[in-house]
Each structure stands twice: as structure tokens, then as C-alpha cells.
Amino acid sequence: MAAFDFTPFFEYAKQNGITLPEAAENHLTTYGNLLLEWNEKINLTAITDPEDIVIKHFTDCLSLLKIIDPKPGQSLIDVGTGAGFPGMVIKILRPDVDVTLLDGHQKRFLFLEDLQNQIGIKATNLHCRAELAAKEKLYRERYDFATARAVARLPVLAEYCLPFVKPNGFFVAMKGPEAANELNDAKKSLSILGGGEASLITEVLPKENTRAFIRVKKVKPTPEKYPRASAKISKTPL
């Protein structure tokens, strides 16, 4: 069992006025150890140092709660969730939020189901390709928030994510140092897909790590023909 020092995680939360559940440390410790255990069987993360897991995974996901402040009962879909970042961390920190984890790889849900069973916190696990799920009435324009971390460049990512968002909801992309360029390249696609004003926000994490967020308000419904097939999205971004 690895030891995790959550001091920087809790200091960040305190500095930013984010209230955490009492069980957060225990649940995240289980998360970290299961992540390392499962990572020996399937590729979940390249980050395996316990200090880096706390900062680059858990605190990074925590920082999303500075960018969005969901009300109890609101819904969030994490597109391309992978090992549950950020969606499963948000569910642990905000169990009152209705979180859906979407991914096209079934093996990742074996890990997530094991984690959810061990900590007793359940998200909705949706094994499906994003462009297919977004065409279904059950999921299309159902969510108050859609988020994604390290999935694709913004012009591509917007077509996968915005169809899930209700008008007046928000799409929030967690991006790296190229965020400003990506936002500039995505202006046309965001407009076509129903996005309105977009904000670029940079957050400083412990140990001089940074995270950029692109937050887009959905102002009108996404036209029915979007999202297109995956190959078209990748080859000819809007």
C-alpha cells in the first residue's frame, strides 16, 4: 500500500474556499492505491509517484470546482474519463452531483467499478463512443456540465462534448499550455455547435504545476447533424 500525503490537496482546497467531505482523504487513498494496482494490469496512467498522483491527478481535478460550482442535483458528464479524471474525483468530492463517466474502453470501467464498490460511491458508468451517445435522446442536451481532460484538441473536443450540454449549461475543457491557440482555432466550431462566450482561465496548482480551463456557455441547441462520425470529426474539424 502506497502512502499519500494530502497536505497540498487540503491546503489548496482551504485557500480556495472549497469544502470537502470528511471521507475525502480515505476515499482518495483507496483511489490512489487501486490506480497503482490496476495500472500493472491495464494502462491507466503514466503518473505513478504518490506525490504526483495527489497533485497532478487529485488536486488537478479538485481545481475544476473553482471553475464550476454545481448545485446539488445538477448533472455532469466526463467525456473520455479514462481512469475517472476528473469525473470520479468530482463525484467523491461532490456526491450530491449526478456524474456520468463516459468512455469507449470497457476495461477502464472494470477499474472504476472496483473503485466505486470499495468506497461505496456510484457514478453512472456509460461505455459508449461519445459521438454515438450524443445522438441518443437519453443523453443529448441532458447535462448541466460536460468536461474532458487530455482527450483531443478543442475544435475536435467541442464536437464530442457540446451536444451533451443543455442550453445555458457549460462545457469545460481542461487543457495545457496550448489552450489559447486551441481556443482561437475553435471559435468557428464552438459557434456552430451552440457555444457562446468562452473564457480561458489558468489555475496555479501546488509545486508550480498549472492547469488551463476553457469554459464555454451553451447558448443554443446543437444542430441535429452534430456530432458527425468520428473519422470526419478528426479529419475535418469544424
Side-chain angles (χ1 to χ4, degrees):
M1 298 284 285
F4 295 89
D5 179 6
F6 282 92
T7 302
F9 177 87
F10 285 108
E11 286 180 348
Y12 178 88
K14 184 177 180 180
Q15 290 167 2
N16 291 286
I18 301 172
T19 302
L20 301 174
E22 289 185 7
E25 183 170 352
N26 286 339
H27 290 336
L28 292 175
T29 297
T30 299
Y31 200 154
N33 276 298
L34 274 180
L35 181 69
L36 294 174
E37 178 186 328
W38 275 84
N39 203 53
E40 295 179 1
K41 297 180 281 187
I42 61 175
N43 182 26
L44 292 171
T45 179
I47 296 171
T48 56
D49 177 76
E51 181 183 28
D52 286 342
I53 289 173
V54 169
I55 295 171
K56 296 181 180 180
H57 279 327
F58 296 149
T59 311
D60 185 39
C61 295
L62 169 64
S63 69
L64 178 61
L65 293 177
K66 276 196 69 178
I67 310 303
I68 63 171
D69 184 19
K71 297 176 182 177
Q74 284 194 307
S75 55
L76 177 148
I77 186 168
D78 181 16
V79 177
T81 192
F85 305 126
M88 192 62 210
V89 177
I90 298 302
K91 185 62 179 177
I92 289 170
L93 303 181
R94 286 291 308 274
D96 59 340
V97 175
D98 174 16
V99 173
T100 296
L101 308 176
L102 182 149
D103 204 281
H105 298 275
Q106 179 63 40
K107 288 184 178 180
R108 294 170 181 171
F109 286 114
L110 298 177
F111 160 70
L112 290 167
E113 287 166 4
D114 188 11
L115 170 62
Q116 290 166 18
N117 288 334
Q118 291 208 29
I119 65 176
I121 294 177
K122 303 284 188 178
T124 299
N125 297 326
L126 179 57
H127 174 221
C128 190
R129 295 183 63 89
E131 71 276 13
L132 300 178
K135 291 284 191 179
E136 296 187 23
K137 290 183 179 180
L138 186 60
Y139 309 114
R140 188 176 184 86
E141 297 190 332
R142 172 202 154 180
Y143 297 92
D144 297 293
F145 302 94
T147 188
R149 187 179 86 146
V151 173
R153 283 183 56 81
L154 192 64
V156 170
L157 190 61
E159 190 166 352
Y160 286 122
C161 292
L162 269 169
F164 289 108
V165 182
K166 300 174 181 178
N168 295 315
F170 290 89
F171 160 45
V172 183
M174 301 177 70
K175 307 300 294 184
E178 290 297 311
N181 291 335
E182 290 191 38
L183 178 55
N184 186 62
D185 293 343
K187 287 180 178 179
K188 178 182 176 183
S189 63
L190 293 174
S191 177
I192 290 172
L193 296 164
E197 181 182 357
S199 303
L200 174 58
I201 305 158
T202 301
E203 187 62 23
V204 179
L205 303 175
K207 303 289 184 180
E208 300 182 356
N209 290 277
T210 59
R211 166 61 69 193
F213 295 91
I214 297 172
R215 183 178 61 196
V216 182
K217 185 170 184 179
K218 180 89 171 269
V219 295
K220 59 184 178 180
T222 300
E224 288 186 8
K225 66 179 180 178
Y226 301 111
R228 298 166 295 164
S230 180
K232 289 187 176 180
I233 296 173
S234 299
K235 290 180 181 178
T236 55
L238 296 174

